[in-house]
Amino acid sequence: MQSTLKAPSGAKVPIASSKKLPVATGTMKNAATGKQGTGTTKKTKGKFSTTGTNQTDGREIIIENGKEQDVTPDPLIFTPEEVKQEKKEESDKSSVKVASNTSDKKDEAPTGSFSRGERSDLVMSSVLKSSDQSEVYSEVSDDTGKERITDVPKVEDKGIRDEDLDKYIDIDLKETETFTVFWIPSIAISAKAENKEEFDKINASYKNLLNEKIGSDNFKSRPSQTLNLMQKNKDVVTETIKKHEFECDVTNWMLHDAFLENPKPNHELVANMFEQEVKANLTDQLKNKGTLLDPEKSLTDTYHSVSVSQSQVTNKEKETTNSKVRSSKRIDKSNHSVHSNSSITQSKHSQGSGKQEPEVTPFKAPENIILPDSLLTKFNIVERILTQNRYLEQQILYRNYPTVEFQKVVEEEKQQEKGALSRFAMLQVKKESEKKEEVKDDIDKDSPHMIDLFKYTCSEVTDRLVSCADWNGPNPDLLAVSYGEYNFLAEKAQSGKPYLDKPGLLLFWTLKSPKFPERIIRAPSGIVSCHFSKKNPWLIATGSCDGVVSIYDLRKKGDKPAAESSQMIEKHIDTVWEVKWHDQGSENGENLISISSDGRIVEWSIKKGLECRDLLNLKKPTNPNQKDDKEAAVFRNSVGFSLDFPKDQYMLYLASTEEGTIHKCSLSYNDELDTYWGHSGPVYKVRCSPFWSNIMLTCSADWTVQVWDWRRDESPLFACRSQDLNDAVNDIEWSPHSSTIFSNVCDDGRVELWDLSVSNIGPIITKKPENRSSPGTMVRFCQEFPVLVTGNSQGVVDVYRLKNLNQELLTKDEHKKRLEKAVYPIERSGYHKGEDEEEEMEGIVD
Amino acid sequence: MSQVDEVIERIKSHYSEVKGIIICNYSGVSVKSTMTAQETTKYSRLISALTERARSMIREFDCTNDLIFLRVRTKKNEVMIAPDNDYLLIVVQHLTS
């Protein structure tokens, strides 16, 4: 047979030459007549081979090789009908298992394989699923006499039935024969090939030939010209490629930040936002009763808005460079507020709004800006810096840093600015000032004195009485000052008005802010005493005029105390003059002990809430020095003013009373152990020396300060009183740096500093105020620095720097000995046995 | 907002040398200020740029570090800059000595 190309009539087959087809030769013929089935279409159909030449009706192209063999490639799509028919015809040769239900209608899974049709024995048919197939095939009959089927039942595509989905379908796959599409033979063979020798011979003979060519008459080289093909220029015009420049500076820390942030990819962001929006919407809508939730609508709405905003975001990303602005503003986009945490979107939003702002005058910032609280901390820092700028010298003095001389530098600069003539004048001025300085220095270097540093006061506390103060342990700059009036009668006498209990104040001052306290705590009633806990330095206990003992926890904000005794039955019923924390070792922990006008000494414990127990009731003892005690005791209880704990013995304590007595008491006994007489007026304060606890100091309204050794005598050792002091001594304190130094403040407003190693007749420093109307009410030494603070009744806390005191660095023992020597001059004492007897001071006792 | 106002008032009253207080954001737009509009814009724009620069420098050395405070002392004034996450606090003080 000759293979021919046939096509149905009217078909346009663009085949240039038959030679292009690798196999087919011959000509193309029209598949002319042929019987055509009804409804023939373009679909070619499965093949048959056979020896027959003519083909199909219904096939467009029929390819035959030179031997008149039909080599038309099989079509890829068949209807099941054809398959069935094929099967019928050549069922014995076919090895295809067609799936069940091959019959007419349904679509089947692909089966079989493809093959070229050559012979009748190689029949293969393949069936592919073709759901939109509605064509009708007709079978082609060939010379072998297969009948053509004219009537083909219509294949109606009804879709896949449910039962079919569950059926098992067998698929048999086979390979076709291999087509060689392209082949370049290699020019190399393996060195181990079998026919290597052949090729070797060929190669050798070729080489010989080449050699022979050279200089041989048989061969002549001759150039020839080739034709250059004509070239043609072709231009192409395109639209301009849109370019966009982008640059940014990248620094190490930007990379660091980005790494820490771990940004999510865009699609995740969108997904997250979408989820959030959906949830928000759903929850909102579900809250309403009986909502007919229309999920479709709401979801798509939100998605739309989200995608809109996201696209806006991406647009802005393209426009901007680094994200400089990170604003926490909430921005409403269309109807939905986009709360995005990613810095990218945030920055873009705010940058967009930032761009709008400059057009508006800068002061009209949007009303809804919420300034973050972190700004307050910045303000604090700024305030501190401002304070430092103004009070630098004083702060340096406070801290005992070496002073820096600013003034001289500035003066020199000023000199340089002016001319030569004026320089002379300046020099003269300088000399004078130097002289003055020298003069001052004489005074300064020799004698101890106090330098005014600050005045801790603010508008809140003007005209309030400074009742007590305490330093914080871990933070030595922090001074808690309590304000509360207790001079009821005096106040009334002065102002003529009945005394009203003003609310109490507790202010926390520091040298870093002398104009305004760090914190203000307001109490309902005037606070008369305060004390920081040593074990828990955030706790401060206060005692107030109305008898309430409160404990404040400074870690919490607000004015409310952590514990207070106002609701307790055993509370004090009168002014609590002193509260003191006392550490009783690991068993009992630190407890609070208070002494009050109602004559009771009460111990408070905060282990389980606020509990108290009475330690002692102060009774009016009979004075052994006074023989006739005419006064009938109306009240058995006496008023207690102060108490103190000696450093080494934690069970004992000393309490001072209004009668002028000091009692030695114990925590475990309900009665006083001992009583000390010496004062003729109420004893306002009793203080044991921090270096040698035997020695105690008391101050009283009888204008005197008495020094006692309470372990030895019931009488005082000696009294300290300046000649001109005619007023009550309100407060007293030992210096923590030197064992022989103490300070006291008096009702006439003066502050005195005594050094017993120098003299016990008069103080080494006396500072008197300008106006008499402000009695000094409080005096404290700073634990770390050579600073003294005093308070008066005008609400002013004066901070002084002590200079030129004899404060050598001695050990505790040395301090103790020094105090011993000061208190017990050698002649009198029995303490010093066999020691060097240098008479350093004149210790006059009595 | 009111707490911040209080503090501003306090600073203004206590420290008379303070020329002005500005709160602005990093793009140089001021939110609150006690100075004239012209000066405010100048200060906020210039100082926000400077702060960015200073912060960048500090973080280049150590990424975990950050700028807390910047003081620029000149012959006549001192400018104190406290950067926050979103805002910038600027206080300008006259120097007397």
Side-chain angles (χ1 to χ4, degrees):
Chain A
M1 270 181 294
Q2 293 253 322
S3 68
T4 51
L5 281 173
K6 298 177 187 173
S9 55
K12 298 173 188 173
V13 180
I15 296 176
S17 107
S18 58
K19 283 183 187 171
K20 284 192 182 172
L21 295 166
V23 182
T25 57
T27 58
M28 195 173 78
K29 297 179 191 171
N30 280 341
T33 57
K35 315 149 192 183
Q36 300 198 350
T38 53
T40 53
T41 64
K42 310 157 194 174
K43 303 278 182 209
T44 54
K45 78 173 232 296
K47 76 145 296 55
F48 286 111
S49 61
T50 81
T51 52
T53 50
N54 59 338
Q55 298 353 6
T56 4
D57 301 316
R59 276 205 289 184
E60 292 194 21
I61 302 171
I62 301 150
I63 303 167
E64 294 173 343
N65 61 11
K67 302 171 190 172
E68 289 195 349
Q69 285 170 335
D70 181 19
V71 293
T72 327
D74 280 332
L76 297 178
I77 301 170
F78 294 82
T79 52
E81 297 192 3
E82 286 183 340
V83 173
K84 199 180 171 186
Q85 286 152 15
E86 286 178 11
K87 210 180 167 187
K88 283 177 197 167
E89 294 164 28
E90 302 195 359
S91 56
D92 49 344
K93 293 181 184 175
S94 156
S95 62
V96 175
K97 286 186 211 167
V98 182
S100 59
N101 251 16
T102 55
S103 50
D104 331 65
K105 335 267 154 133
K106 308 308 158 189
D107 300 328
E108 309 284 354
T111 62
S113 61
F114 312 98
S115 65
R116 277 168 35 200
E118 276 209 355
R119 310 261 172 105
S120 56
D121 13 313
L122 290 180
V123 171
M124 223 49 298
S125 68
S126 58
V127 176
L128 279 179
K129 209 194 265 192
S130 163
S131 54
D132 30 351
Q133 197 174 74
S134 52
E135 331 279 356
V136 176
Y137 290 102
S138 65
E139 176 157 314
V140 173
S141 62
D142 52 11
D143 291 344
T144 54
K146 290 175 188 170
E147 291 184 0
R148 196 179 7 110
I149 301 168
T150 51
D151 287 322
V152 176
K154 261 195 176 179
V155 177
E156 289 178 26
D157 186 23
K158 287 182 187 171
I160 303 166
R161 282 194 295 195
D162 285 335
E163 300 110 45
D164 298 333
L165 285 173
D166 295 331
K167 283 183 190 159
Y168 286 104
I169 298 171
D170 292 325
I171 300 173
D172 209 27
L173 301 173
K174 284 192 182 172
E175 273 186 32
T176 58
E177 281 193 17
T178 313
F179 288 88
T180 306
V181 175
F182 185 69
W183 178 59
I184 299 177
S186 164
I187 58 167
I189 58 165
S190 163
K192 295 177 185 173
E194 290 166 350
N195 45 0
K196 184 197 167 194
E197 289 164 1
E198 259 185 61
F199 283 103
D200 280 343
K201 283 180 192 170
I202 295 170
N203 287 342
S205 65
Y206 184 68
K207 273 187 188 169
N208 283 335
L209 182 64
L210 288 178
N211 287 332
E212 283 174 18
K213 276 192 186 178
I214 300 169
S216 156
D217 293 332
N218 293 338
F219 295 95
K220 242 189 182 175
S221 64
R222 211 183 91 192
S224 72
Q225 188 175 28
T226 57
L227 285 174
N228 288 333
L229 298 174
M230 278 186 59
Q231 288 185 338
K232 188 175 174 183
N233 277 337
K234 196 168 183 185
D235 292 326
V236 173
V237 176
T238 58
E239 281 186 24
T240 49
I241 301 165
K242 286 185 186 171
K243 290 182 191 172
H244 200 84
E245 275 186 24
F246 175 85
E247 41 175 277
C248 74
D249 292 315
V250 175
T251 53
N252 266 347
W253 50 271
M254 283 187 194
L255 295 172
H256 179 264
D257 284 346
F259 180 73
L260 285 179
E261 260 178 30
N262 209 7
K264 296 179 185 171
N266 218 11
H267 64 273
E268 266 195 51
L269 285 172
V270 175
N272 284 348
M273 274 166 62
F274 179 57
E275 266 185 58
Q276 287 170 15
E277 289 288 326
V278 165
K279 274 182 195 169
N281 264 309
L282 278 178
T283 46
D284 279 340
Q285 294 198 18
L286 286 172
K287 278 177 194 169
N288 303 330
K289 286 185 185 175
T291 33
L292 293 173
L293 184 63
D294 192 358
E296 297 277 329
K297 194 179 176 191
S298 58
L299 287 181
T300 51
D301 272 351
T302 52
Y303 181 73
H304 177 69
S305 73
V306 162
S307 63
V308 160
S309 56
Q310 198 64 27
S311 63
Q312 284 179 353
V313 163
T314 48
N315 283 339
K316 282 183 184 175
E317 273 184 49
K318 289 176 193 168
E319 291 168 10
T320 56
T321 57
N322 338 8
S323 57
K324 285 184 186 178
V325 180
R326 290 161 254 135
S327 161
S328 60
K329 283 189 231 173
R330 292 182 184 180
I331 295 158
D332 287 339
K333 291 257 170 211
S334 66
N335 298 327
H336 304 270
S337 56
V338 177
H339 302 293
S340 163
N341 285 329
S342 71
S343 63
I344 304 168
T345 48
Q346 252 189 4
S347 59
K348 300 318 159 215
H349 285 185
S350 52
Q351 188 122 19
S353 62
K355 281 177 188 168
Q356 296 167 11
E357 281 183 31
E359 299 155 34
V360 187
T361 47
F363 278 103
K364 290 179 188 174
E367 297 280 324
N368 55 355
I369 280 192
I370 304 162
L371 291 174
D373 280 336
S374 51
L375 267 186
L376 278 177
T377 50
K378 309 296 171 187
F379 267 112
N380 278 339
I381 297 174
V382 168
E383 268 197 278
R384 298 250 171 127
I385 302 276
L386 288 171
T387 313
Q388 192 185 47
N389 277 344
R390 182 192 269 198
Y391 294 109
L392 185 60
E393 282 191 50
Q394 290 99 316
Q395 285 181 343
I396 286 176
L397 282 173
Y398 185 112
R399 290 289 189 144
N400 209 10
Y401 294 151
T403 50
V404 182
E405 290 168 335
F406 293 119
Q407 307 261 338
K408 283 189 181 173
V409 172
V410 175
E411 278 181 35
E412 281 169 20
E413 277 182 25
K414 281 185 186 169
Q415 278 184 19
Q416 284 165 8
E417 284 175 21
K418 297 178 184 175
L421 283 175
S422 53
R423 270 192 204 176
F424 184 67
M426 289 296 288
L427 278 171
Q428 288 203 327
V429 170
K430 202 178 177 186
K431 277 184 187 171
E432 286 176 19
S433 61
E434 276 176 2
K435 278 183 194 169
K436 282 182 191 171
E437 281 178 21
E438 282 170 13
V439 169
K440 273 186 188 173
D441 282 344
D442 288 335
I443 300 175
D444 290 351
K445 280 173 189 170
D446 287 352
S447 64
H449 62 281
M450 293 200 288
I451 301 176
D452 238 319
L453 291 182
F454 310 108
K455 286 190 190 316
Y456 290 162
T457 184
C458 72
S459 53
E460 290 262 358
V461 293
T462 47
D463 292 338
R464 302 298 307 270
L465 192 140
V466 176
S467 49
C468 187
D470 194 26
W471 298 94
N472 188 302
N475 186 1
D477 288 336
L478 191 67
L479 179 68
V481 181
S482 62
Y483 299 80
E485 280 69 19
Y486 51 75
N487 296 351
F488 312 139
L489 297 173
E491 286 259 341
K492 194 177 175 185
Q494 273 184 358
S495 59
K497 295 174 193 173
Y499 177 75
L500 293 166
D501 190 8
K502 293 183 205 169
L505 289 166
L506 191 60
L507 266 59
F508 295 86
W509 293 95
T510 168
L511 82 158
K512 297 166 193 165
S513 170
K515 289 283 188 173
F516 199 76
E518 292 293 299
R519 186 165 167 185
I520 301 179
I521 291 180
R522 289 166 224 277
S525 161
I527 302 177
V528 176
S529 59
C530 63
H531 197 234
F532 270 110
S533 158
K534 296 286 173 280
K535 252 193 167 180
N536 307 314
W538 54 86
L539 291 179
I540 181 166
T542 60
S544 42
C545 283
D546 54 1
V548 171
V549 170
S550 321
I551 298 170
Y552 291 91
D553 184 344
L554 296 178
R555 298 172 296 188
K556 297 179 191 164
K557 292 189 183 176
D559 291 339
K560 209 181 160 191
E564 57 157 1
S565 71
S566 54
Q567 303 300 321
M568 295 174 71
I569 306 171
E570 312 96 329
K571 65 179 182 186
H572 286 295
I573 49 178
D574 207 343
T575 315
V576 179
W577 289 105
E578 187 139 25
V579 284
K580 270 227 152 111
W581 291 94
H582 184 52
D583 193 4
Q584 295 165 38
S586 52
E587 314 130 19
N588 291 340
E590 199 185 28
N591 285 340
L592 185 67
I593 300 182
S594 63
I595 186 167
S596 155
S597 279
D598 61 0
R600 285 161 55 219
I601 300 177
V602 178
E603 180 185 11
W604 305 81
S605 147
I606 49 168
K607 279 186 180 171
K608 308 171 192 174
L610 192 62
E611 291 172 348
C612 68
R613 69 177 179 108
D614 264 21
L615 288 179
L616 191 70
N617 276 320
L618 293 164
K619 296 157 212 162
K620 283 191 183 176
T622 48
N623 189 343
N625 298 338
Q626 290 179 358
K627 287 181 185 173
D628 21 290
D629 201 350
K630 286 181 185 174
E631 288 177 24
V634 180
F635 298 104
R636 245 195 112 214
N637 279 356
S638 70
V639 173
F641 275 119
S642 165
L643 56 91
D644 196 22
F645 299 90
K647 281 248 158 135
D648 41 7
Q649 283 208 313
Y650 62 84
M651 289 302 279
L652 286 178
Y653 63 91
L654 296 148
S656 71
T657 68
E658 198 184 27
E659 279 72 42
T661 60
I662 297 103
H663 299 284
K664 175 173 89 172
C665 322
S666 165
L667 290 173
S668 38
Y669 291 109
N670 275 343
D671 273 326
E672 304 100 22
L673 300 174
D674 213 346
T675 311
Y676 303 91
W677 296 92
H679 276 293
S680 43
V683 182
Y684 289 136
K685 277 274 165 27
V686 58
R687 289 283 180 265
C688 296
S689 167
F691 292 94
W692 191 25
S693 53
N694 284 15
I695 305 296
M696 81 176 171
L697 210 62
T698 55
C699 72
S700 157
D702 65 357
W703 308 350
T704 64
V705 170
Q706 306 273 6
V707 180
W708 313 65
D709 184 343
W710 53 275
R711 289 190 214 255
R712 280 192 95 209
D713 274 327
E714 287 187 356
S715 302
L717 291 172
F718 54 89
C720 297
R721 178 183 155 243
S722 335
Q723 295 276 339
D724 54 348
L725 178 62
N726 299 319
D727 280 292
V729 183
N730 283 326
D731 200 2
I732 193 165
E733 172 137 343
W734 285 101
S735 163
H737 308 290
S738 173
S739 56
T740 52
I741 295 180
F742 66 87
S743 168
N744 64 315
V745 284
C746 314
D747 249 352
D748 62 351
R750 70 170 76 186
V751 182
E752 290 178 340
L753 199 82
W754 297 73
D755 189 344
L756 294 175
S757 57
V758 171
S759 154
N760 56 2
I761 297 175
I764 50 172
I765 305 174
T766 313
K767 193 170 175 88
K768 290 180 190 173
E770 304 84 32
N771 51 342
R772 268 206 56 133
S773 62
S774 51
T777 52
M778 175 274 290
V779 65
R780 294 281 184 272
F781 278 90
C782 178
Q783 300 298 317
E784 293 220 349
F785 307 109
V787 163
L788 187 75
V789 290
T790 63
N792 63 9
S793 64
Q794 307 296 328
V796 177
V797 173
D798 288 301
V799 181
Y800 300 102
R801 165 85 153 90
L802 302 167
K803 276 217 148 186
N804 298 321
L805 294 181
N806 190 10
Q807 293 183 354
E808 309 144 13
L809 291 170
L810 303 170
T811 62
K812 281 197 175 172
D813 279 338
E814 286 170 329
H815 271 298
K816 194 172 160 185
K817 281 186 185 167
R818 213 166 137 212
L819 183 57
E820 273 186 54
K821 281 186 187 172
V823 163
Y824 290 108
I826 295 161
E827 300 98 352
R828 288 272 178 155
S829 74
Y831 280 82
H832 307 288
K833 293 176 185 175
E835 281 187 31
D836 285 329
E837 291 151 3
E838 285 178 45
E839 287 182 318
E840 291 172 346
M841 72 254 83
E842 344 148 339
I844 302 175
V845 180
D846 286 337
Chain B
M1 192 67 160
S2 61
Q3 271 193 315
V4 171
D5 281 334
E6 271 178 37
V7 177
I8 292 179
E9 282 307 310
R10 212 169 64 216
I11 290 181
K12 268 205 296 186
S13 56
H14 282 161
Y15 303 98
S16 51
E17 317 92 52
V18 167
K19 223 164 86 170
I21 303 167
I22 301 171
I23 303 174
C24 66
N25 71 1
Y26 281 97
S27 50
V29 178
S30 90
V31 169
K32 213 166 171 46
S33 167
T34 63
M35 298 204 277
T36 62
Q38 206 186 25
E39 284 195 5
T40 305
T41 31
K42 259 196 207 171
Y43 269 108
S44 32
R45 279 189 204 265
L46 295 170
I47 287 178
S48 55
L50 176 68
T51 316
E52 285 288 316
R53 206 63 203 197
R55 191 182 240 162
S56 172
M57 173 204 81
I58 286 169
R59 299 204 71 200
E60 277 284 330
F61 286 118
D62 178 10
C63 286
T64 51
N65 208 353
D66 200 4
L67 179 67
I68 287 184
F69 203 81
L70 189 61
R71 270 171 103 165
V72 181
R73 192 155 194 150
T74 69
K75 276 190 195 167
K76 301 182 189 174
N77 311 332
E78 176 158 0
V79 182
M80 286 162 267
I81 303 155
D84 191 27
N85 279 333
D86 314 311
Y87 293 102
L88 203 56
L89 171 64
I90 304 168
V91 177
V92 182
Q93 189 189 25
H94 266 309
L95 298 174
T96 46
S97 58

